[in-house]
Amino acid sequence: MLFRRRDDRDWRDAEFVAVDFETTSGDPRTARPLSVGWVAIRNGRVRLGAAGYHIIAYDGHLPHESLPIHGLFPQQLSAGVELEHAAGRLRAAVADRIVVAHGAWIERALLGRLSGVQAGLVDTMAIVRRLDERVGSVAQPASLSATARRFGVPQLRAHHAFGDALTTALLLLVLATRIERERRGCVVGDLLRLGRG
């Protein structure tokens, strides 16, 4: 995926896709994907017709402390799709779109491994932190749930890959609109720069 050095397109003229993974751990170097969800954004609107979700087959050890977080149990994982099938669908979903994630260290690592995406990722957590820094705000809780509440975005099933992808997509719309209102415009380059994790 190639992006111009300075992308001056209005943000509504670009296609984005919000992506979220649930994984075996929070370590980007070793995390294995257990589920993936994505939601496309086109013309400044969420496109649920271009959304997807897969539980990914996994028969390895699951840390007990992770089960209450993602809620994926061995029976569900054993019935999941093969990793290559999910990766193929994900590659198609992100092709020629700008990827969006919240707290994107896991997504950046797994997207690099599964789909070859290395650049052009917008981290909504980074955008919020940079906007707060600019106005001298005290750092606030940065989890997706806390950020969604703060910006009036509905939280859809936290720690579920599709629910978090949809919440992230909606959060991007709110943030881009806020930047647009404050600066009398928001271009893709603004989101890429502010959302650099």
Side-chain angles (χ1 to χ4, degrees):
M1 190 179 318
L2 297 173
F3 294 95
R4 292 172 275 178
R5 193 174 194 95
R6 170 69 186 168
D7 195 329
D8 289 324
R9 290 177 292 167
D10 182 86
W11 72 274
R12 288 181 178 83
D13 294 334
E15 289 196 34
F16 298 86
V17 61
V19 175
D20 187 78
F21 288 95
E22 295 304 318
T23 60
T24 53
S25 77
D27 183 343
R29 295 166 300 167
T30 60
R32 295 277 311 272
L34 300 176
S35 65
V36 59
W38 62 88
V39 176
I41 303 162
R42 190 179 323 117
N43 300 322
R45 294 181 180 187
V46 167
R47 303 295 181 180
L48 290 178
Y53 171 73
H54 287 294
I55 293 175
I56 299 167
Y58 180 75
D59 62 2
H61 170 73
L62 278 178
H64 294 305
E65 60 274 9
S66 72
L67 292 175
I69 296 170
H70 54 63
L72 294 169
F73 291 89
Q75 327 59 303
Q76 294 167 287
L77 294 168
S78 65
V81 301
E82 292 302 317
L83 178 60
E84 189 46 48
H85 174 77
R89 294 278 319 278
L90 183 60
R91 279 191 294 274
V94 302
D96 301 319
R97 290 186 172 122
I98 300 166
V99 176
V100 181
H102 189 83
W105 50 90
I106 291 285
E107 284 72 23
R108 184 173 280 114
L110 289 176
L111 282 164
R113 279 188 252 156
L114 299 178
S115 70
V117 171
Q118 299 295 328
L121 191 143
V122 173
D123 185 339
T124 52
M125 180 187 285
I127 291 175
V128 170
R129 285 185 172 157
R130 287 192 173 95
L131 292 177
D132 283 348
E133 286 168 7
R134 287 185 175 181
V135 297
S137 278
V138 177
Q140 298 193 33
S143 71
L144 182 57
S145 296
T147 306
R149 274 192 307 277
R150 177 179 167 195
F151 287 93
V153 173
Q155 173 80 50
L156 298 133
R157 199 162 169 207
H159 299 296
H160 181 279
F162 180 76
D164 284 351
L166 182 51
T167 300
T168 300
L170 294 170
L171 179 60
L172 178 74
L173 300 183
V174 169
L175 293 172
T177 302
R178 176 173 284 206
I179 292 166
E180 183 176 56
R181 192 171 48 243
E182 290 172 359
R183 297 180 176 190
R184 295 189 173 90
C186 177
V187 298
V188 173
D190 294 332
L191 296 174
L192 290 168
R193 183 175 42 79
L194 291 169
R196 202 173 331 131

